[in-house]
Amino acid sequence: AVVSTQSTGVVCATIAYGMGIDKHDVRYVIHHTLPKSVEGFYQESGRAGRDGDPADCILLYNYCDVARIKKLIFSDESQGSWAMREVHMDNLNYMIQFCENRLDCRRTQLLSYFGEDFSSEECRRTARTTCDNCVSRGKYAAKDLTDSAKIAVNLVRGFGSNKFTLIHCCDVLRGTDSKKVSGSGHNRNPAFGKMKGEKRIVIERLLRRLVSDNILRETIQVGFHGMVVSYVQPGKRVQELMSGKVKVVMDVEVVQKKENVVMETTSSAAVDAVVKCCYDVLIQCRKELAAEKKVSTHNIVPNDTLHEMSEVRPHTVQQLLNITGFTQLKVDFYGEAFLKRLRNFPPGKTRECDSPWLSTNKPPPTSIKTGRGRARKPRKSAPPPTNFQKFRYQSPSAINSNAGPTNSASAIQTPGLMPMLQPKKPKANSMHRRL
């Protein structure tokens, strides 16, 4: 009940509790640790933006979380047999590859994992919802690191029965003459300093890539005070790399020349700023009305109505009635509160403008699917109303004054849902079926 109210801004929860939150206007989902699988990440990120508005999913990725998850997989007896644990490890490796990939579109990776095709151009079409990889497009480029991968594999093979971590391998490949490297004698190893020209982050990502591809593997050991330590060893696919059957291609950062960019404030940017500010004010107004009436916010007005109001910015009651979703009843209850805030902004667009929130024209259906699988043509209906007041709520006094005396017992007076319907007189000598 506390989560459903608008007074709760941030909810810190476990996976089970977070998945049970039925809240439509979640704007952010933040993963503090690495999810165990792509399926779990996809479902958990789907908690955000269920009302149709843009939302963000942020994953705080650190490779140190991998050792903790591996410990849970191999130490927990409830994980099942060894084959089931291998399935969990494959799911974890897919998730690591998703986080390490900085070149491909995030949406393309997710949907291809589930067997669907998606073009990255669709992701870049809307700047507000573009993923981080598409935003940094051109900053990374693919590079063949197969030779460097073979050097790293030969280094690990030379460890024998000795135990060393990926960090130690990275120090040897970079040529770091630390106390541990010189003490183990790896400063005299042929692989020492072979990747000195590469950045440390590139070498670390290369070693992680080899682990996720099962070319190398990590064994988990619990040390003092419950600390988890991962030691690297050759994997089951090491021969495929050394024989040339497998190539290692990774995305690396491209050095770009810095250019002086002059920021220019255009009129469209100023208009967008006004719309954004107005929308935030209307959101706060709706929140106050919901707290006062003790109802949910979407029972006041939906988000689409607020988007349209922020672009049109009506100043009168008549203009407010033209907003989609605003009936006379809603104007009577909430109109003055919204208009008081809208009058602080200049008038905005009209209904003739091209706006996704103001577009109400929909193509007529060509056929209707019946229950038996046959398609029939839709019935002929009256042309759509030219204005947006046809289904406007009217008080009974206004209806009686406009339409004259009617049979009040048979007249339908549903506020905000239907117009006044006049009862039809039955034909003479006709049979009536009781319902």
Side-chain angles (χ1 to χ4, degrees):
V2 178
V3 178
S4 61
T5 62
Q6 293 299 318
S7 59
T8 305
V10 179
V11 177
C12 182
T14 59
I15 296 174
Y17 182 75
M19 291 294 290
I21 295 178
D22 187 12
K23 191 171 174 62
H24 66 285
D25 55 348
V26 176
R27 297 271 72 85
Y28 291 91
V29 170
I30 302 176
H31 287 83
H32 187 263
T33 57
L34 180 69
K36 297 180 180 178
S37 64
V38 178
E39 292 90 348
F41 172 74
Y42 188 74
Q43 292 183 0
E44 294 155 16
S45 60
R47 300 299 99 186
R50 301 175 72 180
D51 56 353
D53 283 356
D56 296 288
C57 180
I58 302 173
L59 171 60
L60 305 179
Y61 168 66
N62 193 319
Y63 191 76
C64 297
D65 295 334
V66 177
R68 179 185 56 84
I69 298 176
K70 288 182 178 180
K71 175 190 174 184
L72 295 176
I73 292 176
F74 289 102
S75 62
D76 190 0
E77 296 180 356
S78 62
Q79 296 293 337
S81 62
W82 183 263
M84 184 59 67
R85 295 179 181 180
E86 288 293 330
V87 172
H88 291 311
M89 283 300 305
D90 291 339
N91 293 334
L92 180 61
N93 288 333
Y94 280 123
M95 194 64 215
I96 296 172
Q97 293 175 5
F98 173 80
C99 297
E100 293 284 350
N101 192 330
R102 300 185 180 183
L103 191 62
D104 299 328
C105 172
R106 298 291 186 191
R107 290 185 173 89
T108 302
Q109 296 181 64
L110 284 174
L111 294 178
S112 62
Y113 179 84
F114 295 103
E116 298 184 18
D117 295 330
F118 183 82
S119 176
S120 59
E121 297 179 357
E122 296 291 334
C123 182
R124 297 190 297 269
R125 181 168 297 180
T126 305
R128 174 62 183 84
T129 57
T130 304
C131 69
D132 59 330
N133 282 359
C134 289
V135 169
S136 60
R137 185 187 180 190
K139 188 177 179 181
Y140 294 88
K143 184 178 181 180
D144 191 349
L145 296 177
T146 305
D147 295 337
S148 300
K150 291 180 179 180
I151 295 174
V153 168
N154 288 327
L155 173 64
V156 175
R157 277 180 164 180
F159 291 163
S161 59
N162 297 323
K163 299 177 181 180
F164 296 97
T165 62
L166 289 180
I167 298 178
H168 181 80
C169 295
C170 183
D171 292 338
V172 175
L173 293 173
R174 291 193 72 224
T176 304
D177 195 7
S178 62
K179 183 177 180 180
K180 188 174 182 179
V181 172
S182 59
S184 60
H186 289 158
N187 55 347
R188 298 184 297 273
N189 191 290
F192 181 79
K194 286 293 185 180
M195 298 184 66
K196 191 174 184 178
E198 297 288 351
K199 295 182 179 179
R200 184 179 185 89
I201 184 64
V202 175
I203 303 175
E204 290 179 351
R205 292 182 61 228
L206 173 62
L207 295 173
R208 297 170 190 170
R209 171 69 177 276
L210 296 178
V211 173
S212 62
D213 289 345
N214 292 323
I215 298 173
L216 298 177
R217 68 184 184 93
E218 288 182 307
T219 58
I220 306 299
Q221 289 190 6
V222 180
F224 296 101
H225 306 290
M227 296 293 295
V228 180
V229 183
S230 301
Y231 296 108
V232 61
Q233 293 179 355
K236 58 184 179 181
R237 297 185 60 194
V238 64
Q239 292 297 335
E240 298 181 17
L241 173 68
M242 303 308 292
S243 62
K245 295 181 179 179
V246 176
K247 289 187 177 181
V248 180
V249 180
M250 286 183 50
D251 48 284
V252 296
E253 189 173 1
V254 179
V255 179
Q256 296 179 343
K257 296 181 179 179
K258 296 183 179 180
E259 298 179 359
N260 296 328
V261 180
V262 180
M263 301 298 294
E264 297 181 359
T265 305
T266 60
S267 59
S268 60
V271 171
D272 293 340
V274 173
V275 173
K276 177 66 170 60
C277 181
C278 182
Y279 180 76
D280 294 340
V281 171
L282 295 178
I283 285 287
Q284 182 64 29
C285 178
R286 184 181 66 172
K287 185 184 299 185
E288 295 174 358
L289 290 173
E292 179 183 352
K293 303 296 181 180
K294 296 182 179 180
V295 296
S296 181
T297 54
H298 63 271
N299 289 334
I300 305 294
V301 285
N303 289 343
D304 291 354
T305 300
L306 295 183
H307 278 294
E308 185 176 341
M309 291 170 63
S310 63
E311 293 196 0
V312 177
R313 297 187 289 279
H315 286 185
T316 63
V317 174
Q318 187 61 34
Q319 293 175 350
L320 190 60
L321 285 171
N322 291 334
I323 300 296
T324 304
F326 252 102
T327 61
Q328 183 66 46
L329 186 63
K330 287 187 179 293
V331 170
D332 295 340
F333 278 100
Y334 316 120
E336 188 60 31
F338 283 112
L339 288 174
K340 182 179 179 180
R341 291 163 174 79
L342 287 169
R343 291 183 181 125
N344 296 327
F345 297 90
K349 299 178 180 179
T350 60
R351 282 198 171 271
E352 288 74 14
C353 67
D354 183 15
S355 174
W357 304 106
L358 307 182
S359 178
T360 56
N361 298 325
K362 296 182 179 180
T366 56
S367 63
I368 300 176
K369 198 74 173 178
T370 61
R372 297 182 178 180
R374 297 180 181 179
R376 59 179 175 83
K377 295 182 179 180
R379 296 178 180 178
K380 294 182 179 180
S381 58
T386 54
N387 56 24
F388 294 87
Q389 304 181 27
K390 183 175 181 180
F391 299 101
R392 180 166 54 89
Y393 165 79
Q394 294 183 355
S395 61
S397 59
I399 295 173
N400 294 334
S401 61
N402 296 334
T406 60
N407 187 1
S408 59
S410 60
I412 303 175
Q413 301 180 12
T414 307
L417 296 179
M418 298 177 61
M420 287 295 298
L421 301 180
Q422 299 295 336
K424 294 184 179 180
K425 296 181 179 181
K427 296 183 180 180
N429 300 327
S430 61
M431 299 295 294
H432 296 277
R433 180 182 301 175
R434 291 187 178 183
L435 300 179

